[in-house]
Structures are given as C-alpha cells and as structure tokens.
Amino acid sequence: MSEKTQSARPGTGALRKVIAAGQPRRLAIACAIGIGLVEVASTLAFPVITRDIIDAVTRSTPGVGSLLADPRVVLLVVILLAGAVCGAVSSYLLSRAALRVTRNVQQSLFDSMVGRSMRFFDANESGALVSRMVSDTKSVSQLLTTGAAGLVNAVVLLAGSVVVLLLLDTALTLVIFGIVLGTFALMIPMVMRLAAISKAINAASARVSSAVARVFGGIRLVKAATAEATERTRLAGELAAVETEARKLAMVQSLLNPVNGLAVTAALVVLFTYGSARIQLGTLSAGTLTAFILYIFNIVAPLIAISTFIAQFRIAQGSAGVLADLLVAEMPTTVRAERATVPIAEARGDIVFDGIGFDYGDGGEAQPTLAIGRMVIPAGKRTAIVGASGSGKSTLLALIERFYAPQRGQITCGGHDIADFDLAEWRGTIGYVAQSAVLLSGTIADNIGYGAGEPDRARVLAAAEAANAREFIDRLPGGIDAPVGEQGGLLSGGQRQRIAIAQVFYRDPRILLLDEATASLDLDNGRLVMAAFERLMEGRTTIIVTHQPELLRNIDRVFTISRGALVDDDGTQAITAMAS
C-alpha cells in the first residue's frame, strides 16, 4: 500500500472497519433507540386520540370543564409528555454514544498514524491528516448513532402511519400517499447530489487545514521570505474552492425545502378538497379528516429522515474509505515493525553498515541516495561522518534511528540486525541532537524530560546543569517551569540547543548522534554547547556529522561520504580539506 493516503474506494467493508474502531456500545445505542420508539408511539397515537376528541365535540357541546376532564384529553396530555421526555432522553443517550465513538475512532487514528514510518509523514501533509481525523470521524459516528436511530424511528413512524391511515380510510390514504411519494421521488437525485457535494467539501476543507498548518508551522520562513502575500493568495484559492462547493450545497438544500413544502401543500390541498366533499356526503368525519392532516406530517417527516440517512450513509462511506487507510497498521517493509526477536540488552558493540542500499523512492533502478559497502562504527568511540551537503550523511543517521529501512543490506549492532530489536527500545538507546533543536509547546521541564513520563525535577535540573543550560534557565521567570513557546520560539537558538542536549543527558543513551549540532550557533553559544558535548560523549558510541574542523579533535574514526558512497575510511582527505 502506498504511504500516501488516498480516498479508498467507498464500501461497506471500510465503513465496518471504522465503526469497529469506534467500539460502539451496541446495548446503549439499542436502549436509546428503544426509548426513542416511545416518542414514535406517542406521535402515532396523537392523531387518533385527537380524532376521537374532535368527533366527540362535534356530536355534543360539552363545557370546557367537562372537556378538560375527559379521559381522552388527559391521555393525550400524558402521551405527549411521555413522548417529549423519552425523545429528550433518547437524544441525550445518542449524543453520548456519538461522542464516545468519535473519541475512540480519533484515538485509534492517532495511535495508528503516530506509529507510522517517516515515509508516511513525508507523503502526507499534517494539516490534511488533522482535518481528516477531526471532521471525517464525525460523519461516521453520526451515521452510527443519530443516523441509525433516525432511520429506525422513521421506518417505524412511516409504517405505523400508513397502517393507521389505511384502517381509517383506505381510499383517502392511497390518494394522499401517491401524491407524497410522487413528490419525494424528485428528492432522491438531489439527496445523492448532496452526498457528493458534502464529500467534496470535506476534501476541500482538508486542503485548507493543510495550507494553514503549513504556513503557521513555517511562519518564520514565511516572514523571512516576505511570502505573506503569496500565502494569502494561495489560501484564498483554497477557501474559494470550499466556497464553491458550499454554494452547490446551499443550492441543493434550497431546492429540497420547496420540494418538501410542495409535498405537504399538495397533500393538504387534495385532503381538504376531497375530505370536505366526503364530510358533506357523510362518509367522513371531521375528526378523521383532522387525523389525516396530522398524519401527513408523520409521513413527510420520515421520508425526509430516510433521505437524510441515505445522504449520511454516502458521506460516511466516502469518509470511511480515507479513515480505513489511515487505520491500517504500519507495513513491515517500511520500519520492520514485526515483533522483536533479540533482547535490547544485546544491542552493545560496533554498529556495522553492510551492503546498504537506500533511496527515498521505492528502491527501484534509480540511483540510490545511500550505497555503503561496509562501514564499522566502533562501540564507545567517537566517529565523524563528513562530506558535502546532500552527500547522504543525515540519511545515514536516519537509518540508524530506523526512521527508514534500507532496501538492501543490513545495519547491525553487537552482531544483530537492528531491525530485530524492539523499535521503541532501540530508539531508547539513542540520543539525537540536530542542527536546529526541535522543542514542543510546554515548559522547559516538559521538554527536557520528554518521552520519559512525568519529568523528575531533580533529574531535569541535573541534566540542565550538565548541558550548561542552568545559567539562562535560572534567569527565566519560573525557571524550569518557564514556557518555551511554539517550537521553542521564546528561546534563542543557543538556548534551544542546550535544552536539546539536556534532554539527551536526561535520557542517558548509549548511542549519541550529533547532526551538525553546532553549525547554526555563534561562537559563544558554540563554546558552551561544545563543552556540554565533551561531557555528553564520554563513554558513548558517538557519531558526529559535521563540517566544522574543531569537532574533529579527539575523534577516533573519520568517514567521508560523497554522493551517497563511502570514499574515505580514515579521514585523511577530510581532515586535509577542512584544515586548509
């Protein structure tokens, strides 16, 4: 399956899969529907009791007091109150069930997506994924709860109304029902169109969310490039696409209401004309005519509900096609996520690249991004990887982290293929510091202790001290409880870098990856960070990707990478070139 999410071919299979992920409480939904049927029964009984009351009034002239004391009036009030209460309870229970299903589906989606390989995130924009997770799940949960309940209620109400009307007067029922069904036949094409438009709106909205997330996520670049106008224009185009689909939706909805009104009006005109004639002939009572008038709404409303359910079902099918793809577990060919076969305790020793071939495509005939015959990174030593930009140095680190898996060859640690270790445990042995530290919104303590549960304040402070970060943390209001801002925006580059180093101290990994970790720092911050690195590298297997000669001091091994291939394994060329 492609890592790029696509709208899978709609089908009930995908819909069943998404519903299963929602873990619906079937008994609770069934109870809610059952309680709702009491309201349906009340709606069915109301016109018949009203008929009897009207016929009784037309046959005599009772006083207001005796009319209010009539058992049928009392029964009518009780039935209406019971129906209203049951309707409210049913609606509340269904809303709770829908919220639970939405929560469970969204949690399942997040669990599935966050465990995907980097290829998945390379191929999909985060904003679109967020939009799918938030909006598409609602259409499925609404179909399962309110949609299903509405369908059951509509079918029961429609069938009950038809039966009662046939018992009251067969000829008048056939006339009225023929008019209503004929009018509502016009609604079916519009309902189908409504479903298609709703799916298009969801897709367009996902593109808007993606565009906004992309701009806000890279707002510094946008402002540095003075690209605000370009992004405004781009977003305006996406918003215009949403507006275009929304106009289509408004047009269809504006046509549905007149069709609905036409059905009711036509039925009422025929009913009054034909019914009045029947009353004059003495073959129909005024109470029965009143009951027919009330039952018209009991026929029209269920037909609208059934049409709405059909539209909901089509929309939910389209949403489920996308969601089912996102719920698929990670494919073994991307991160080798099958169950670990080797204990992580055996992940000690040299890291060896053996016959590695990797590219960011599908591993076909294209020139590979990385092709390493054999490269041994000694355990407990400092190894430098040097080379021009784009030569494959960072890709090499990404393979060690198992962000990607090589298409050919293997990487071993302690003689075991790293793919045979549990993925989370393997990454737990690695500390990674990039050129630009990535911090998450929260406090300094949250970031230093990130990924290790609730931060231990003593360990956080010790890690900050080791990373030469205490001197600026202590000056901040709140200290380690000070917020770092979106992506660490409230801190300087050097401060963010030292927080990242403190995070590695906190984790205390056996393997350390430094990817141009001081390249973007000024001299003073660079010295502080370098001093922290000296302490951090002690006794660890360290791999340093760098362009900076000063980092090559005290290095045990240097490898030179050029165009994805190992061209020098003793560092002579690199050291000479960088020193000159």
Side-chain angles (χ1 to χ4, degrees):
M1 183 187 75
S2 171
E3 290 289 330
K4 177 73 173 178
T5 60
Q6 299 173 354
S7 180
R9 185 175 299 172
T12 56
L15 188 55
R16 284 196 299 268
K17 180 175 182 178
V18 176
I19 289 175
Q23 303 173 30
R25 292 180 175 174
R26 292 179 173 82
L27 181 59
I29 295 174
C31 288
I33 293 175
I35 294 172
L37 289 177
V38 175
E39 182 185 22
V40 174
S42 169
T43 305
L44 284 171
F46 167 63
V48 175
I49 298 174
T50 303
R51 179 202 63 173
D52 294 341
I53 293 173
I54 291 175
D55 285 345
V57 170
T58 57
R59 286 194 296 266
S60 61
T61 55
V64 175
S66 60
L67 179 62
L68 294 177
D70 190 313
R72 288 168 295 196
V73 174
V74 175
L75 178 62
L76 181 61
V77 172
V78 170
I79 286 176
L80 291 177
L81 287 176
V85 171
C86 289
V89 172
S90 175
S91 176
Y92 172 70
L93 293 177
L94 288 170
S95 296
R96 283 187 56 177
L99 291 172
R100 173 185 169 83
V101 170
T102 300
R103 182 196 69 189
N104 289 340
V105 173
Q106 289 176 341
Q107 184 67 58
S108 296
L109 283 169
F110 182 80
D111 293 346
S112 174
M113 289 190 291
V114 79
R116 294 285 193 111
S117 73
M118 289 303 299
R119 287 186 184 275
F120 173 81
F121 294 100
D122 292 342
N124 295 279
E125 294 187 348
S126 58
L129 295 176
V130 171
S131 178
R132 294 297 186 185
M133 180 175 166
V134 172
S135 60
D136 285 15
T137 52
K138 291 181 180 178
S139 62
V140 175
S141 64
Q142 288 172 353
L143 174 74
L144 177 64
T145 52
T146 55
L151 178 65
V152 172
N153 291 351
V155 170
V156 173
L157 182 59
L158 181 61
S161 298
V162 171
V163 170
V164 174
L165 286 176
L166 288 173
L167 292 175
L168 290 176
D169 192 290
T170 303
L172 190 56
T173 298
L174 294 177
V175 171
I176 298 303
F177 207 68
I179 293 173
V180 173
L181 284 181
T183 306
F184 269 86
L186 301 174
M187 291 183 61
I188 301 301
M190 287 186 281
V191 169
M192 295 299 100
R193 180 64 177 154
L194 189 68
I197 294 172
S198 296
K199 287 191 289 186
I201 289 176
N202 282 348
S205 298
R207 292 194 297 271
V208 169
S209 298
S210 178
V212 173
R214 179 177 53 81
V215 171
F216 290 168
I219 192 64
R220 293 176 184 272
L221 173 62
V222 172
K223 290 187 173 296
T226 61
E228 292 95 337
T230 300
E231 295 299 343
R232 289 191 190 103
T233 302
R234 185 175 297 170
L235 183 62
E238 298 293 358
L239 290 172
V242 175
E243 183 184 12
T244 298
E245 298 299 331
R247 285 178 178 174
K248 295 177 184 177
L249 181 65
M251 180 177 294
V252 173
Q253 289 176 331
S254 66
L255 291 174
L256 283 174
N257 290 330
V259 170
N260 177 25
L262 178 63
V264 175
T265 302
L268 288 174
V269 169
V270 172
L271 183 60
F272 280 123
T273 303
Y274 182 54
S276 298
R278 291 277 302 278
I279 289 175
Q280 289 182 345
L281 293 173
T283 58
L284 188 71
S285 69
T288 301
L289 179 60
T290 302
F292 263 89
I293 293 173
L294 296 175
Y295 272 119
I296 284 178
F297 298 98
N298 288 355
I299 293 174
V300 172
L303 288 174
I304 293 175
I306 292 171
S307 301
T308 300
F309 177 81
I310 294 172
Q312 281 184 318
F313 183 78
R314 292 288 298 274
I315 294 169
Q317 272 192 318
S319 297
V322 177
L323 297 180
D325 278 350
L326 295 176
L327 284 169
V328 172
E330 180 62 88
M331 303 301 290
T333 54
T334 54
V335 297
R336 297 278 300 280
E338 61 267 24
R339 181 175 297 178
T341 58
V342 179
I344 195 63
E346 298 189 25
R348 297 179 182 276
D350 297 344
I351 297 175
V352 180
F353 284 71
D354 190 6
I356 292 298
F358 172 79
D359 66 72
Y360 288 99
D362 58 5
E365 298 300 324
Q367 176 69 29
T369 304
L370 202 64
I372 304 293
R374 184 172 177 83
M375 185 170 69
V376 179
I377 297 171
K381 304 294 184 180
R382 303 180 184 185
T383 300
I385 309 293
V386 298
S389 297
S391 60
K393 304 184 302 298
S394 295
T395 299
L396 186 145
L397 299 187
L399 293 180
I400 294 175
E401 282 268 25
R402 287 170 64 186
F403 290 153
Y404 305 92
Q407 285 91 4
R408 293 174 294 280
Q410 66 176 355
I411 304 171
T412 62
C413 181
H416 300 285
D417 191 329
I418 63 172
D420 292 333
F421 298 116
D422 177 83
L423 182 59
E425 291 180 342
W426 169 250
R427 288 179 179 162
T429 68
I430 299 173
Y432 178 78
V433 183
Q435 178 174 350
S436 297
V438 178
L439 302 185
L440 301 180
S441 297
T443 66
I444 289 175
D446 291 336
N447 277 274
I448 292 177
Y450 183 71
E454 186 67 23
D456 180 280
R457 297 181 69 85
R459 284 182 60 194
V460 167
L461 290 171
E465 183 73 40
N468 287 335
R470 281 293 298 273
E471 56 89 13
F472 80 83
I473 291 177
D474 290 342
R475 294 198 307 267
L476 295 174
I480 60 173
D481 295 317
V484 301
E486 183 77 15
Q487 296 182 357
L490 296 179
L491 303 177
S492 69
Q495 291 171 339
R496 289 196 299 270
Q497 204 71 346
R498 280 179 276 170
I499 294 297
I501 296 170
Q503 184 185 77
V504 177
F505 272 113
Y506 190 93
R507 289 166 59 92
D508 192 24
R510 293 199 300 267
I511 301 170
L512 182 61
L513 308 180
L514 306 179
D515 190 0
E516 299 284 5
T518 62
S520 59
L521 302 180
D522 57 34
L523 185 60
D524 290 338
N525 274 302
R527 286 171 178 167
L528 288 171
V529 169
M530 282 301 304
F533 279 149
E534 284 297 324
R535 289 191 291 272
L536 187 58
M537 290 187 288
E538 291 178 6
R540 307 178 199 271
T541 300
T542 303
I543 304 175
I544 304 171
V545 167
T546 184
H547 286 99
Q548 297 170 296
E550 59 269 23
L551 286 183
L552 294 180
R553 293 178 300 176
N554 302 320
I555 292 296
D556 300 291
R557 194 75 183 268
V558 178
F559 294 100
T560 304
I561 304 294
S562 177
R563 297 183 181 180
L566 180 63
V567 297
D568 185 14
D569 64 359
D570 63 9
T572 303
Q573 297 177 13
I575 294 172
T576 301
M578 297 178 75
S580 61

